[in-house]
Amino acid sequence: MASGRKKLVFGNWKMNFSFKQAQAFAQKLSSKDLLDGVEVAVGPHSLALGAVSETLAESEISVIAQNAYYKDDGAFTGEISMPMLRGIAKYVVIGHSERRHIFHESNDLIRAKMAAALRSGIKPILCVGETLLEREHLHTSQILSDQLSVGLADLTSEEVGKIIIAYEPVWAIGTGKYAKPDEAEKMIAKIRSEISSLYGYDAANKVRILYGGSVNAHNSGAYLKLDGIDGLFVGGASLSIATFWPMIELATKAFDEESKKGKK
Ligand code: PGA
């Protein structure tokens, strides 16, 4: 993987913050100076997407939609579509474990959403990861392989090269437990090799892979140094500047160190 690639630090706010709190947080973020080498994005709930996007319009911080449906319009009460996100969100999260497990989203639905996002010019962040039970039964590789092969089935190699994948072990999300860095590194390598065998080396090299699951200011430094990692997908610790900003600083440092190594 080429050095000099920006590190991504993406925050998923989930179902938190009132409309006003989301706007105020975006305001605080936009007043901070971002350094080169890091891309920051935040994911407010749907009602605050427009306001957060306006607040961040002059900053370099991007907006993430937490979910959207695969149909472009029609009688789908309660849903928002990918075309509706145009001009508001740069990214959309697809297949988050909470959507898979609480809202029973299948790999097939996720596949349709991935294609819909790309059709509408919204970059998908595909979340993959195994549950504790799957891990204990040594099914992790099979689960990742199914989530990737079905979730990406409608995409071309070129499209796969443009997406982001977040490896988030389900047992680590919101639990305070997290994958050991060497374990996360292995899974990231596995994801890249799976993509390489399905879509070729170029797509596997280009695809961005993040780690998520109880990431915080204390453990993120170790993840950011891993081979093949492009950044962090952060839930709980993205809800305050005090916990989110240190990770952005660490990512800047990781980018600088990689760039120095690359120049040697
Ligand atoms: P967490 O959430 O950082 O609170 O574990 C991560 C996620 O769900 O994306």
Side-chain angles (χ1 to χ4, degrees):
M1 217 177 67
S3 69
R5 266 157 77 134
K6 278 194 179 193
K7 295 282 176 201
L8 314 180
V9 183
F10 285 10
N12 173 12
W13 294 350
K14 308 194 181 183
M15 201 175 72
N16 291 295
F17 291 151
S18 67
F19 179 84
K20 285 230 159 88
Q21 284 169 330
Q23 224 176 358
F25 193 20
Q27 190 70 51
K28 266 196 229 161
L29 274 177
S30 71
S31 65
K32 300 276 241 177
D33 283 330
L34 272 187
L35 298 167
D36 283 348
V38 178
E39 179 176 353
V40 177
V42 290
H45 58 74
S46 305
L47 288 177
L49 270 175
V52 166
S53 160
E54 270 179 38
T55 307
L56 296 175
E58 300 299 315
S59 80
E60 299 204 3
I61 298 171
S62 309
V63 176
I64 307 169
Q66 295 179 18
N67 180 36
Y69 199 47
Y70 74 97
K71 294 279 193 185
D72 288 353
D73 49 44
F76 303 101
T77 302
E79 294 294 324
I80 56 171
S81 73
M82 303 290 175
M84 289 172 189
L85 297 176
R86 283 195 196 119
I88 296 175
K90 178 172 177 186
Y91 299 101
V92 61
V93 183
I94 298 182
H96 189 278
S97 77
E98 285 143 23
R99 304 258 7 134
R100 289 179 190 266
H101 299 288
I102 303 172
F103 301 101
H104 311 294
E105 291 197 4
S106 65
N107 280 331
D108 281 324
L109 177 64
I110 288 161
R111 184 187 78 214
K113 289 185 174 196
M114 290 296 290
L118 286 158
R119 210 169 50 232
S120 296
I122 312 293
K123 270 182 187 266
I125 303 165
L126 173 66
C127 299
V128 296
E130 79 287 0
T131 63
L132 188 58
L133 203 65
E134 288 158 352
R135 176 181 147 93
E136 285 170 351
H137 287 84
L138 308 176
H139 291 158
T140 301
S141 288
Q142 189 56 49
I143 291 296
L144 292 182
S145 167
D146 291 349
Q147 289 174 340
L148 291 168
S149 61
V150 182
L152 303 178
D154 289 347
L155 310 188
T156 63
S157 298
E158 204 191 330
E159 286 173 326
V160 170
K162 290 183 190 152
I163 69 165
I164 296 175
I165 294 177
Y167 170 60
E168 301 203 291
V170 178
W171 49 270
I173 294 178
T175 57
K177 294 186 183 134
Y178 42 88
K180 291 195 187 103
D182 60 330
E183 237 177 282
E185 190 171 65
K186 254 192 234 154
M187 291 306 149
I188 287 167
K190 150 116 198 95
I191 291 169
R192 244 182 246 288
S193 102
E194 188 80 27
I195 291 184
S196 182
S197 66
L198 292 168
Y199 293 94
Y201 173 79
D202 202 39
N205 184 44
K206 283 188 183 144
V207 72
R208 303 297 181 105
I209 306 182
L210 312 181
Y211 174 76
S214 296
V215 168
N216 58 41
H218 305 291
N219 61 23
S220 54
Y223 292 120
L224 287 162
K225 285 192 194 120
L226 299 181
D227 203 28
I229 198 170
D230 289 293
L232 310 169
F233 199 54
V234 190
S238 72
L239 294 174
S240 94
I241 299 278
T243 50
F244 193 44
W245 200 258
M247 288 185 268
I248 295 168
E249 288 174 335
L250 285 168
T252 308
K253 211 166 120 199
F255 172 83
D256 288 345
E257 277 165 14
E258 254 176 42
S259 307
K260 266 187 231 149
K261 265 193 226 155
K263 274 185 204 141
K264 272 185 197 159

